[in-house]
Amino acid sequence: MIEFTLSRVAVFACGAVLLAAAVVPISESYEGRKDADLAGAADKVALMIDAFWDSEADVMTLRGWDVLPFQDMSVEIDGHVLTMTKSGREYRSLVEHPADRISISYNSIISLKRGDGFLILADQ
């Protein structure tokens, strides 16, 4: 009877080791996927700003909650570099036309307009 119990304990221990060995690569895979999704979000915001530049519109109003997927995120545009920040991690993308230093948080509303070759904040 003791052999049966010890064999079940050994099987349980081996199963726990195999499960622990599988959890680490899977969690890293999900973390990498999340980083790729947020980098893609930064690229999409940059494409949206470039599309505004090429459009006929004079002013573009951005609401943070429409642009950013999470409340703890922000976007900063400085020159050609767009930086999306979430929980201390940064995701960068490039915009075609330079901009003044512009920051967008989740709860902010800003208006952009074209200046002399660069994007600026419109008067609100």
Side-chain angles (χ1 to χ4, degrees):
M1 187 69 171
I2 191 90
E3 295 85 14
F4 178 77
T5 304
L6 289 177
S7 70
R8 296 297 172 219
V9 168
V11 167
F12 177 76
C14 290
V17 168
L18 286 174
L19 183 61
V23 167
V24 172
I26 291 172
S27 65
E28 287 176 3
S29 170
Y30 284 126
E31 187 68 27
R33 187 180 306 172
K34 184 172 83 171
D35 285 342
D37 290 344
L38 291 174
D43 290 339
K44 288 179 182 178
V45 172
L47 285 172
M48 177 183 58
I49 291 171
D50 288 339
F52 163 67
W53 184 272
D54 296 332
S55 73
E56 303 266 331
D58 294 328
V59 177
M60 178 173 74
T61 302
L62 293 175
R63 296 181 302 222
W65 58 87
D66 288 338
V67 176
L68 301 170
F70 301 105
Q71 287 186 349
D72 61 341
M73 293 183 76
S74 65
V75 171
E76 184 173 305
I77 306 167
D78 191 11
H80 288 281
V81 179
L82 181 140
T83 305
M84 185 175 282
T85 306
K86 180 180 187 319
S87 303
R89 299 182 84 162
E90 294 183 345
Y91 305 91
R92 298 184 190 269
S93 188
L94 298 175
V95 291
E96 184 176 346
H97 298 280
D100 282 346
R101 188 177 197 97
I102 299 169
S103 295
I104 307 166
S105 65
Y106 189 82
N107 293 320
S108 67
I109 299 173
I110 65 165
S111 295
L112 298 176
K113 69 178 184 177
R114 289 182 290 242
D116 295 326
F118 57 94
L119 290 170
I120 57 175
L121 283 171
D123 295 331
Q124 294 191 18

